[in-house]
């Protein structure tokens, strides 16, 4: 299969495509530093640097389109302001590329908050825009911790499969198994015809963590488990044994701990030792290493979070960021340590991208088979 990678960053989707034996034929990103990393890893002519809105005409024919489209308006790590209509963002470029080139499959990635932003308005518009292009849509919220990475990183992946003709039915499920669909709370009915699904425009305040959409209608369910989860270990398992003093914050942290409150609990698998507010994530937070790392982000302020490692306090290193995201230690070595943090924090973890792309391009599981199995699930919309 031939793939095109939009908003490529440092190449999380590219690594996945290479692992699956796909041929990446066209790539774009606007960030010069990300492009430098991409070129170092994949070749001098491997990426088109520049504004994607001016480069659409140069995209060549392809079978699969991937895009971790910019999530700043939707991210909980940002100002959380969002916008009323995501068609005004660079998401519209993804829609235009799909409309023009009609690839068989697409895979998109964004932050968890997308499911609830503006009381579901953003995601409803995204689903509607994609389904209007004659694709069968499936989405699922996944966590990097389920792919062998000790990081609590929840991301929404959206897969679209081109319908060969105007159909009103989705025949296959790709991002969930019969076991996933047989959770205790959802084993209460059968998969109904899309004709019985609610219209996307009638969505509730949030969308469930998995679902399907076609021709203006959708269904979904909050799945309780991920049947292919892999053990990930703890944050301590990926730490470097020796680090430079540039990462150390021991003295300044000890001074400020006197004004902090002990928390000593795990939140979403992340060990929180103390902070100034005493809550789950407030003020001057100090993390432990017996659980997962909190979500890595592109926000510069988050790169200076304190971790208690032995008797010392320091931030994570750039190499530890690479490991938590599933990249080689030296993937970003051609740029400064400071700049590596943002690029890693903004990347799509290759292990997650590989699983999703493999499932997206597979035949999936017949919906009829799921309906006949003992693992029946009632698909619903949160009205």
């Amino acid at each position: 299969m031939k793939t095109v990678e939009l908003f490529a960053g440092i190449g999380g989707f590219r690594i996945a495509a290479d692992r699956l034996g796909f041929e990446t034929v066209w790539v774009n990103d606007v960030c010069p530093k990300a492009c430098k990393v991409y070129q170092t890893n994949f070749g001098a002519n491997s990426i088109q640097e520049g504004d994607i809105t001016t480069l659409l005409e140069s995209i060549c024919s392809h079978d699969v389109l991937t895009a971790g489209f910019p999530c700043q308006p939707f991210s909980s790590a940002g100002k959380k302001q969002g916008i009323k209509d995501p068609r005004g963002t660079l998401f519209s470029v993804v829609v235009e590329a799909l409309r023009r080139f009609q690839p068989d499959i697409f895979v998109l990635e964004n932050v968890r908050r997308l499911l609830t932003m503006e009381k579901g308005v953003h995601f409803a518009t995204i689903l509607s825009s994609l389904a209007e292009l004659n694709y069968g849509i499936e989405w699922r919220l996944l966590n990097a911790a389920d792919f062998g990475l000790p990081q609590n990183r929840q991301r929404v992946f959206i897969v679209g499969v081109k319908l060969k003709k105007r159909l009103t039915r989705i025949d296959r499920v790709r991002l969930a198994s019969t076991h996933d669909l047989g959770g205790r709370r959802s084993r209460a009915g059968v998969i109904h015809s899309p004709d019985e699904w609610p219209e996307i425009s009638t969505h509730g305040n949030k969308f469930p963590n998995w679902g399907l959409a076609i021709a203006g209608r959708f269904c979904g369910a909050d799945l309780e488990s991920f049947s292919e989860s892999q053990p990930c270990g703890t944050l301590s398992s990926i730490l470097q044994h020796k680090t430079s003093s540039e990462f150390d914050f021991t003295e300044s942290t000890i001074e400020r701990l006197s004004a902090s409150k002990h928390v000593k609990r795990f939140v979403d698998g992340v060990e929180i030792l103390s902070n100034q507010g005493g809550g789950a994530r407030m003020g001057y937070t100090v993390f432990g290493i017996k659980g997962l790392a909190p979500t890595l982000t592109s926000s510069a302020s988050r790169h200076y979070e304190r971790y208690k490692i032995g008797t010392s306090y320091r931030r994570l290193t750039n190499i530890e960021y690479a490991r938590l995201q599933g990249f080689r230690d030296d993937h970003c070595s051609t740029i400064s340590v400071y700049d590596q943090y943002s690029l890693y924090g903004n990347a799509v973890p290759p292990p997650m991208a590989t699983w999703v792309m493999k499932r997206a391009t597979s035949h999936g599981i017949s919906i009829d088979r799921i309906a006949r199995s003992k693992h029946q699930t009632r698909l619903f919309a949160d009205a």
Side-chain angles (χ1 to χ4, degrees):
M1 289 191 171
K2 298 182 184 296
T3 68
V4 158
E5 188 178 8
L6 305 183
F7 312 109
I10 58 175
F13 276 120
R14 172 60 180 267
I15 292 174
D18 288 351
R19 288 174 178 172
L20 295 171
F22 300 164
E23 179 188 2
T24 300
V25 295
W26 197 90
V27 182
N28 167 260
D29 200 274
V30 71
C31 173
K33 293 172 183 175
C35 290
K36 182 177 181 180
V37 170
Y38 202 101
Q39 291 168 338
T40 300
N41 284 279
F42 306 111
N45 299 317
S46 59
I47 189 168
Q48 300 289 322
E49 180 182 336
D51 182 353
I52 184 60
T53 61
T54 67
L55 295 171
L56 280 176
E57 297 291 344
S58 65
I59 296 177
C60 53
S61 177
H62 56 281
D63 306 300
V64 182
L65 180 143
T66 65
F69 61 97
C71 60
Q72 284 78 3
F74 315 123
S75 177
S76 59
K79 295 182 180 180
K80 303 181 185 180
Q81 293 176 341
I83 50 174
K84 291 294 183 182
D85 190 341
R87 286 173 296 195
T89 70
L90 286 172
F91 169 72
S92 62
V93 175
V94 175
V95 174
E96 178 60 18
L98 292 173
R99 186 189 67 78
R100 289 192 190 190
F101 299 99
Q102 300 286 305
D104 293 332
I105 295 165
F106 66 77
V107 178
L108 311 180
E109 179 259 5
N110 213 285
V111 295
R112 176 185 183 179
R113 185 174 173 80
L114 195 63
L115 296 176
T116 59
M117 193 71 182
E118 296 287 350
K119 298 183 178 180
V121 170
H122 288 308
F123 199 63
T125 306
I126 285 171
L127 289 183
S128 297
S129 300
L130 296 173
E132 287 172 0
L133 300 173
N134 198 33
Y135 284 90
I137 313 298
E138 183 175 0
W139 77 88
R140 184 161 187 181
L141 184 68
L142 298 171
N143 196 326
D146 286 321
F147 296 86
L149 304 175
Q151 178 191 175
N152 177 43
R153 185 183 190 85
Q154 297 188 65
R155 288 295 185 267
V156 178
F157 284 84
I158 308 169
V159 165
V161 178
K162 189 69 178 176
L163 303 175
K164 299 304 181 183
K165 55 183 179 179
R166 281 287 173 184
L167 301 175
T168 58
R169 177 179 172 81
I170 296 178
D171 295 320
R172 299 278 171 173
V173 170
R174 291 172 170 80
L175 302 185
S177 67
T178 54
H179 179 80
D180 295 333
L181 294 169
R184 174 176 51 82
R185 291 181 299 174
S186 58
R187 197 186 305 150
V190 298
I191 293 180
H192 299 289
S193 165
D195 293 337
E196 301 175 40
W197 297 353
E199 295 182 359
I200 295 175
S201 60
T202 64
H203 65 88
N205 290 335
K206 64 177 182 178
F207 282 85
N209 63 26
W210 170 85
L212 304 167
I214 186 174
R217 296 182 178 276
F218 82 106
C219 66
D222 282 310
L223 304 186
E224 298 174 312
S225 64
F226 179 59
S227 59
E228 297 186 40
S229 181
Q230 306 168 27
C232 66
T234 64
L235 174 56
S236 62
S237 67
I238 60 89
L239 296 177
Q240 292 182 267
H241 297 299
K242 294 183 180 180
T243 60
S244 168
S245 59
E246 68 179 297
F247 302 106
D248 188 58
F249 291 117
T250 296
E251 292 183 6
S252 61
T253 301
I254 290 175
E255 290 177 3
R256 297 185 65 172
L257 282 175
S258 59
S260 297
K261 296 181 180 180
H262 292 289
V263 177
K264 292 186 177 180
R265 66 188 178 101
F266 290 83
V267 179
D268 294 328
V270 178
E271 184 184 23
I272 299 178
L273 300 179
S274 62
N275 56 42
Q276 288 180 325
R281 187 70 182 271
M282 302 172 65
Y284 191 83
T285 305
V286 176
F287 297 96
I289 60 172
K290 296 179 181 178
L292 305 176
T295 306
L296 307 184
T297 76
S298 61
S299 174
S301 62
R302 295 281 300 279
H303 306 156
Y304 294 92
E305 290 172 329
R306 271 66 167 171
Y307 295 79
K308 185 178 182 181
I309 301 173
T311 58
S312 301
Y313 299 87
R314 67 168 173 87
R315 60 174 168 152
L316 297 178
T317 70
N318 55 311
I319 289 177
E320 290 161 352
Y321 259 54
R323 294 173 180 177
L324 287 169
Q325 288 285 67
F327 290 89
R328 294 193 325 270
D329 288 0
D330 63 348
H331 187 80
C332 290
S333 60
T334 54
I335 60 173
S336 71
V337 169
Y338 175 83
D339 290 325
Q340 288 183 43
Y341 284 98
S342 294
L343 293 181
Y344 280 130
N346 198 43
V348 179
M352 298 179 76
T354 302
W355 184 87
V356 175
M357 289 180 69
K358 183 177 181 180
R359 295 300 292 264
T361 54
S362 72
H363 291 297
I365 302 172
S366 166
I367 284 183
D368 291 336
R369 173 184 166 189
I370 296 171
R372 292 194 303 267
S373 75
K374 65 179 181 179
H375 297 296
Q376 296 178 347
T377 185
R378 177 175 58 85
L379 307 182
F380 67 91
D382 181 17

